[in-house]
Amino acid sequence: MKIILVDPVSSITLWPLSQTRPVADIRVGILTVAEKWEKITSLPVSHLCPSVLASLYPIDLSTENLFVHGSVLPDERFFKTVLDLKNGQAIKNQKGIWLAAKMDESQSLDWVERYLLGKDFPAHLAFVPPYEQELNILAFPWQIFQLNGIEHEKDYNLITLGRDSQSLDKSNQVFGDRIFLEEGAIVHCSILNSTTGSIYIGKNAEIMEGCTVRGSLALCEGSVLKMGAKIYGPTTIGPGSKVGGEIQNSVLQANSNKAHDGYLGNSVIGEWCNLGADTNISNLKNTYQEVKLWNYSKESFVKTNSIFCGMIMGDHAKCGINTMFNTGTVVGVGANVFGAGYPRQFIPDFAWGGASGFSTFGMDKFLETAKAVMLRRNQSLNENYQLLLEQVFFSTSKFRTWEK
């Protein structure tokens, strides 16, 4: 059997993060949603997603397939429930949202065709009684940092079950005992407090001298916490990232840098982003009022039901030194922000500029930069990825109002 994570049609509410990846490839906690399924089931996992993403995330069908709603953050009971489904059976939650279905090869091919044509989920399947337990379902970007602590602890227990941590160097000051180091992890002369949440140090990750960490923290494979950094959980630093300064309750997906001083709080940063030295993000209004955030679907700002929300930044976005972002700012894919003052709270994809005004970061110039950035991590920007980025550029042109 193979697991197919189905990207929801409504994933536009998670833009800019879901423009360049299926929702199930978003990291919440230590792992992405897809990695959680791989880890607990040991089954092959692939994605059923819109054609614009399909070339990068191809579906891999078998004679028996378990299709699962890709936005669901699974827990142990949900894993067991859906794995026990029989061919031809499906399950919804109590709100009528389908959650999972097990199908044979013929049923699978029919469902894939229906999905790609934009048709509804096949109603002829035999639905078992609704799933009664409350599940977290990703629908908006701010949920990623809000749910990060819960997901971190679930992932930590899953990853470390029955395993021994590498030893921690005696030069560190340690509080609590929920600290796990993978092979090759390095931590020297730092303060680690896991009484507030567990601390996971991934393979070949490094915490440099003088860092102060209050869990939970996930420092994923190959990432670096630079000297003197201050981390408040729940925070996740995705693989291949370098961070410094002060970070609180934020999630960096992967391969992004915030390497110097400055504050980042209640935020989600995509992949291949760079925050220049002394970048500061406000996460709380002086009036303590609820934060509103740009929603691409409604083309307006919507309530987050929270007074804390910093910044949501799409992949390949960057900002120069001393950049300031106001509370609840959305920065689109490929945007390049610089200059004095606070830029507007929705910065469209491939914008170039700042508070004094924007022009368009042309695709040729953008690709030149993106290739150079990826090459520094020994990765290349392949043809399919370039086509995806070009598609994002054209599909978001209506938001670059200065082009009209």
Side-chain angles (χ1 to χ4, degrees):
M1 185 176 73
K2 293 183 177 177
I3 293 175
I4 315 297
L5 299 174
V6 183
D7 209 39
V9 177
S10 59
S11 68
I12 188 173
T13 60
L14 279 159
W15 281 19
L17 301 167
S18 60
Q19 285 169 295
T20 47
R21 60 174 63 75
V23 175
D25 204 42
I26 290 176
R27 187 174 309 279
V28 192
I30 303 173
L31 304 169
T32 67
V33 177
E35 289 170 344
K36 296 175 199 289
W37 281 98
E38 288 173 339
K39 198 66 128 176
I40 203 160
T41 66
S42 298
L43 293 170
V45 174
S46 64
H47 301 266
L48 173 57
C49 47
S51 54
V52 67
L53 290 168
S55 58
L56 283 173
Y57 298 90
I59 190 169
D60 181 20
L61 290 173
S62 179
T63 53
E64 182 182 61
N65 302 287
L66 176 63
F67 289 85
V68 183
H69 195 301
S71 296
V72 172
L73 300 178
D75 57 26
E76 191 172 346
R77 181 174 293 186
F78 183 68
F79 281 122
K80 184 174 187 320
T81 300
V82 300
L83 288 171
D84 284 345
L85 290 173
K86 295 180 171 52
N87 273 342
Q89 287 186 332
I91 188 168
K92 296 180 179 179
N93 66 8
Q94 290 189 314
K95 295 177 181 176
I97 300 172
W98 85 271
L99 300 175
K102 193 175 285 184
M103 304 184 194
D104 61 25
E105 189 170 19
S106 172
Q107 292 168 325
S108 298
L109 290 171
D110 175 62
W111 164 226
V112 171
E113 184 178 350
R114 292 175 66 89
Y115 176 90
L116 293 175
L117 291 173
K119 296 183 178 179
D120 293 335
F121 186 78
H124 60 272
L125 294 174
F127 281 88
V128 301
Y131 188 76
E132 294 182 351
Q133 305 300 314
E134 196 68 33
L135 281 169
N136 289 319
I137 298 178
L138 280 183
F140 301 102
W142 58 84
Q143 292 176 298
I144 295 169
F145 64 79
Q146 289 178 342
L147 296 171
N148 199 47
I150 296 171
E151 290 300 310
H152 174 99
E153 295 302 334
K154 285 159 54 179
D155 292 346
Y156 182 89
N157 292 334
L158 177 63
I159 291 171
T160 63
L161 182 65
R163 300 176 62 214
D164 293 325
S165 169
Q166 300 295 305
S167 59
L168 189 62
D169 190 88
K170 293 181 179 177
S171 63
N172 297 289
Q173 181 72 49
V174 176
F175 302 92
D177 58 1
R178 287 176 57 77
I179 300 174
F180 192 94
L181 281 75
E182 296 282 4
E183 183 181 358
I186 300 171
V187 186
H188 284 144
C189 302
S190 290
I191 301 172
L192 306 176
N193 182 354
S194 68
T195 63
T196 53
S198 57
I199 297 173
Y200 174 80
I201 316 296
K203 184 178 179 181
N204 297 326
E206 180 177 9
I207 296 181
M208 292 182 174
E209 306 82 53
C211 292
T212 307
V213 175
R214 284 177 66 91
S216 57
L217 168 68
L219 188 68
C220 297
E221 182 173 345
S223 286
V224 176
L225 204 58
K226 297 190 73 178
M227 287 194 295
K230 293 177 285 188
I231 304 295
Y232 298 84
T235 286
T236 296
I237 312 299
S241 301
K242 292 181 181 178
V243 301
E246 182 179 358
I247 301 178
Q248 178 179 9
N249 185 205
S250 295
V251 179
L252 284 76
Q253 292 296 314
N255 295 309
S256 287
N257 294 335
K258 179 203 168 297
H260 306 285
D261 284 344
Y263 177 72
L264 176 70
N266 304 104
S267 297
V268 184
I269 307 298
E271 192 167 5
W272 304 112
C273 297
N274 188 68
L275 279 60
D278 207 27
T279 292
N280 285 288
I281 292 98
S282 168
N283 66 333
L284 173 68
K285 289 174 173 285
N286 285 348
T287 58
Y288 288 65
Q289 291 181 323
E290 178 183 352
V291 181
K292 293 181 179 179
L293 203 68
W294 178 260
N295 183 293
Y296 283 82
S297 174
K298 296 187 178 300
E299 299 187 15
S300 64
F301 289 86
V302 299
K303 295 180 178 179
T304 62
N305 295 317
S306 174
I307 63 170
F308 292 106
C309 184
M311 181 169 69
I312 309 297
M313 177 177 269
D315 290 2
H316 290 281
K318 300 179 174 54
C319 64
I321 62 171
N322 294 317
T323 304
M324 299 187 297
F325 290 100
N326 218 326
T327 321
T329 294
V330 172
V331 183
V333 172
N336 204 312
V337 187
F338 51 85
Y342 287 101
R344 54 196 279 191
Q345 286 161 288
F346 169 51
I347 300 171
D349 307 70
F350 301 95
W352 173 275
S356 59
F358 287 102
S359 59
T360 300
F361 194 6
M363 181 52 66
D364 289 344
K365 195 172 177 183
F366 163 78
L367 288 174
E368 185 180 326
T369 302
K371 288 174 182 175
V373 170
M374 294 178 71
L375 190 59
R376 295 183 72 220
R377 296 280 195 280
N378 297 318
Q379 295 193 38
S380 60
L381 199 159
N382 63 37
E383 183 179 356
N384 288 333
Y385 193 28
Q386 180 171 327
L387 288 172
L388 170 62
L389 292 167
E390 289 173 346
Q391 177 63 33
V392 174
F393 182 88
F394 289 113
S395 66
T396 56
S397 61
K398 66 178 179 180
F399 299 113
R400 296 189 291 274
T401 53
W402 57 84
E403 292 180 352
K404 297 175 182 174

